[in-house]
Amino acid sequence: MLTCESNYQVLFLFILFLFCHFSYSPTALSHSTFQSWKTMASDPEGPIHSSLAEEGKSSGEIRSEREPLLNGVHHSESYSVSAAILPFIFPALGGLLFGYDIGATSCAAISIESPTLSGISWYNLSSIEIGLLTSGSLYGALVGSVLAFNVADFLGRRRELVAAALLYFVGVLVTALAPNFPILVLGRLVFGTGIGLAMHAAPMYIAETGPTPIRGLLISLKEFFIVIGILAGYGIGSLLVDTIAGWRYMYGVCSPVAIIMGIGMWWLPASPRWLLLRAIQGKGDSQNLKDIAIQSLCRLRGQAIHDSAPQQVDEILAELSNVGEEKEVSFGEMFQGKCLKALWIGAGLVLFQQITGQPSVLYYAPSILQSAGFSVASDATRVSILLGFFKLIMTGVAVVIVDRLGRRPLLLGGVSGMVISLFLLGSYYIFLNNASAVAVVGLLLYVGCYQISFGPIGWLMIAEIFPLRLRGRGLSIAVLVNFGANALVTFAFSPLKALLGAGILFYIFCAIAVASLAFIYLVIPETKGLTLEEIEAKCL
């Protein structure tokens, strides 16, 4: 009889298989036997275990043919769907915790201000203190992004995620057990630092370890996990909001997830591409690093890879050499040539992701739905859950089709819908006050279009576009821009609303969305179906 844990594993495997099935058409099925590799004595990122590579064939093993790009011929890229689950799910837990913090904090802020239910004597917080409570993790994320710039390439993706899990756990404990407000804010900052590291390293690890045919699906699923986390935060928060000291439980309940994430990342192998980058840059014994990369690739792809791992590693090494990855990037070089183009694409995309008004539109959701006659709009938490489910559905749509349609079509189509929705919202607040249906359509159109475009594809593109030797520092700059723009928009929204009014503000967001549409059309390349090395050679 299957245990509860086994049932969950089977369910997740089934969901991932369905996503894979509808996102691409596998060209062949393989039932090859797995060739064991000898255990290496050392690993820059920890021990290599063989248990994952010994998974059975019941999961389905997939072989995907790729066209040759550089000198030489690509071997077919084989992988097992079941073997791809854990290298995705443990990094994605970092996104789940990020989303949970967003949802739980909205309810915790209500709980902590209640004279009867807060369970503390310092519940009478000022508006500035409430702002620090709600945005403390955001400022911590900025700190984490700065730290990632300096230590990411040294630590590697795996160790950075382990550090993020540790910071998540410490931040949760400090926040949940805080005896006073300064300690509470300190806990929020520590947790936010974990967010900065996790949002930096998770897309890199998933991109560098995921099979090319489903790389877009896996990175987009990370956004799916963020939305699940938001929903979980709203749901658990609404259950605990009437409990004495409920805010402590809201934060503390996610600590086991941080522990699971840390243990899982410690167990997973290092990114093969990170190992090979260190090998070609002379930061260790080249042959030893190459052998460890082969072992890592075998664990990550499962039985289906058979004996082709050495050839695939040789291909990656050859392509890295052809595109000049053997040179360590200097700070000045990051703003020249292909590095500058990658920064322009990555940072520009996440900047527009934030300044097209997503937090502001959601801020108006309760009043819009209430004006349309939805009684549930009187309860902000329930409205947030309703929109959260809609966001989850639309993110699922993006996950299913991103590797079939490509990145550019989803961005162009989704942002075009955002332009229309922002125009409708601006018109509602200026000209159409009695046409509440217009506001509801605008709201739902905006949320849906954002979740099939900027939401998942912003994180996907910044994980793909940076050259390997620039990826750690480049992605840290992009994440810093993302959280910095988020903080700026959040801070500026209230004074701009008071100065200009909601209608004019939505028209401004509409104009910015038009500019972002032009940016996507003129600058953003299509990366569907390309390996990370091919993206560097073709798109930069």
Side-chain angles (χ1 to χ4, degrees):
M1 180 178 293
L2 290 176
T3 65
C4 182
E5 181 180 358
S6 299
N7 286 331
Y8 284 130
Q9 291 174 348
V10 171
L11 177 61
F12 183 83
L13 175 60
F14 178 69
I15 292 172
L16 185 59
F17 177 79
L18 288 179
F19 276 134
C20 295
H21 175 74
F22 289 111
S23 298
Y24 63 91
S25 299
T27 58
L29 294 177
S30 170
H31 291 288
S32 306
T33 58
F34 182 79
Q35 178 178 350
S36 299
W37 298 93
K38 65 181 181 178
T39 302
M40 303 305 301
S42 62
D43 180 349
E45 285 209 11
I48 296 287
H49 305 284
S50 61
S51 58
L52 187 60
E54 295 171 356
E55 294 188 24
K57 302 175 184 178
S58 60
S59 60
E61 297 159 354
I62 300 168
R63 183 183 301 274
S64 175
E65 304 291 340
R66 292 190 283 113
E67 294 296 326
L69 171 66
L70 306 173
N71 294 331
V73 179
H74 286 301
H75 292 272
S76 58
E77 187 172 344
S78 303
Y79 60 95
S80 166
V81 174
S82 64
I85 292 176
L86 295 181
F88 156 76
I89 200 169
F90 288 126
L93 289 178
L96 182 76
L97 288 168
F98 175 36
Y100 180 84
D101 181 71
I102 295 172
T105 298
S106 65
C107 299
I110 299 173
S111 173
I112 205 170
E113 285 188 290
S114 171
T116 57
L117 297 175
S118 63
I120 53 177
S121 60
W122 38 276
Y123 61 85
N124 190 20
L125 302 179
S126 67
S127 58
I128 294 177
E129 288 173 329
I130 289 296
L132 287 174
L133 167 65
T134 55
S135 63
S137 62
L138 187 61
Y139 296 118
L142 293 174
V143 174
S145 302
V146 174
L147 286 176
F149 182 87
N150 295 306
V151 303
D153 288 330
F154 168 73
L155 286 178
R157 292 55 165 133
R158 171 181 162 271
R159 281 185 179 144
E160 187 178 351
L161 284 165
V162 171
L166 178 62
L167 288 168
Y168 274 145
F169 182 70
V170 173
V172 163
L173 289 185
V174 172
T175 302
L177 301 175
N180 52 51
F181 184 76
I183 299 299
L184 176 66
V185 173
L186 176 62
R188 304 287 293 136
L189 289 172
V190 172
F191 189 92
T193 305
I195 292 175
L197 293 181
M199 292 299 97
H200 172 262
M204 284 197 297
Y205 188 87
I206 296 171
E208 292 179 5
T209 61
T212 299
I214 58 171
R215 186 180 65 240
L217 178 150
L218 292 174
I219 300 176
S220 300
L221 268 177
K222 184 187 72 66
E223 173 72 15
F224 194 78
F225 268 55
I226 293 175
V227 179
I228 290 176
I230 293 173
L231 271 175
Y234 286 142
I236 293 175
S238 64
L239 291 175
L240 296 172
V241 73
D242 293 326
T243 303
I244 295 177
W247 62 273
R248 296 188 186 274
Y249 302 111
M250 292 177 201
Y251 286 120
V253 74
C254 69
S255 56
V257 180
I259 295 173
I260 293 171
M261 175 188 170
I263 294 174
M265 288 310 308
W266 186 262
W267 176 78
L268 283 174
S271 160
R273 282 182 167 87
W274 178 80
L275 291 167
L276 295 176
L277 177 65
R278 294 185 70 81
I280 65 175
Q281 291 183 345
K283 295 180 178 179
D285 181 84
S286 297
Q287 186 58 47
N288 187 47
L289 289 168
K290 180 180 175 182
D291 290 339
I292 298 171
I294 292 172
Q295 279 197 315
S296 297
L297 195 59
C298 288
R299 287 190 60 202
L300 293 164
R301 300 297 167 82
Q303 286 190 355
I305 200 168
H306 191 43
D307 59 350
S308 63
Q311 291 88 343
Q312 291 192 28
V313 166
D314 287 338
E315 284 180 12
I316 295 173
L317 278 172
E319 292 180 353
L320 291 177
S321 297
N322 272 322
V323 294
E325 293 284 6
E326 69 277 0
K327 302 174 184 177
E328 187 172 2
V329 67
S330 64
F331 184 81
E333 189 183 354
M334 293 180 63
F335 302 96
Q336 301 173 10
K338 67 169 63 175
C339 297
L340 177 61
K341 185 175 181 180
L343 277 175
W344 177 240
I345 293 171
L349 195 58
V350 295
L351 176 65
F352 280 118
Q353 181 192 54
Q354 293 300 322
I355 64 175
T356 45
Q358 194 226 8
S360 305
V361 173
L362 294 181
Y363 176 87
Y364 275 93
S367 63
I368 289 174
L369 292 177
Q370 193 172 33
S371 68
F374 290 88
S375 60
V376 74
S378 61
D379 187 336
T381 301
R382 293 180 184 175
V383 171
S384 299
I385 293 174
L386 178 66
L387 284 177
F389 274 113
F390 183 62
K391 285 163 66 71
L392 189 67
I393 292 169
M394 296 308 298
T395 305
V397 171
V399 167
V400 169
I401 64 179
V402 65
D403 280 320
R404 175 181 293 175
L405 293 184
R407 286 59 161 155
R408 275 176 58 87
L410 286 178
L411 281 171
L412 290 171
V415 176
S416 297
M418 289 169 59
V419 170
I420 296 172
S421 65
L422 288 167
F423 180 80
L424 290 176
L425 289 170
S427 299
Y428 168 73
Y429 280 99
I430 294 179
F431 306 114
L432 306 170
N433 290 332
N434 295 323
S436 57
V438 172
V440 174
V441 170
L443 172 65
L444 296 178
L445 180 63
Y446 183 93
V447 171
C449 289
Y450 179 89
Q451 290 307 132
I452 64 170
S453 56
F454 276 141
I457 298 178
W459 292 106
L460 168 58
M461 289 293 296
I462 63 174
E464 293 180 323
I465 201 64
F466 291 106
L468 180 58
R469 64 194 177 105
L470 172 69
R471 192 165 295 141
R473 291 186 169 184
L475 210 145
S476 68
I477 293 176
V479 173
L480 183 65
V481 169
N482 181 281
F483 286 115
N486 190 337
L488 181 62
V489 170
T490 302
F491 175 80
F493 174 73
S494 292
L496 285 176
K497 172 179 169 290
L499 179 66
L500 303 173
I504 297 298
L505 195 54
F506 281 127
Y507 277 149
I508 292 174
F509 287 140
C510 179
I512 295 173
V514 171
S516 71
L517 196 61
F519 174 81
I520 293 165
Y521 181 79
L522 296 173
V523 177
I524 303 299
E526 181 56 72
T527 59
K528 179 187 72 171
L530 300 178
T531 68
L532 297 178
E533 292 73 37
E534 288 171 339
I535 291 172
E536 180 176 354
K538 277 188 171 183
C539 302
L540 300 178

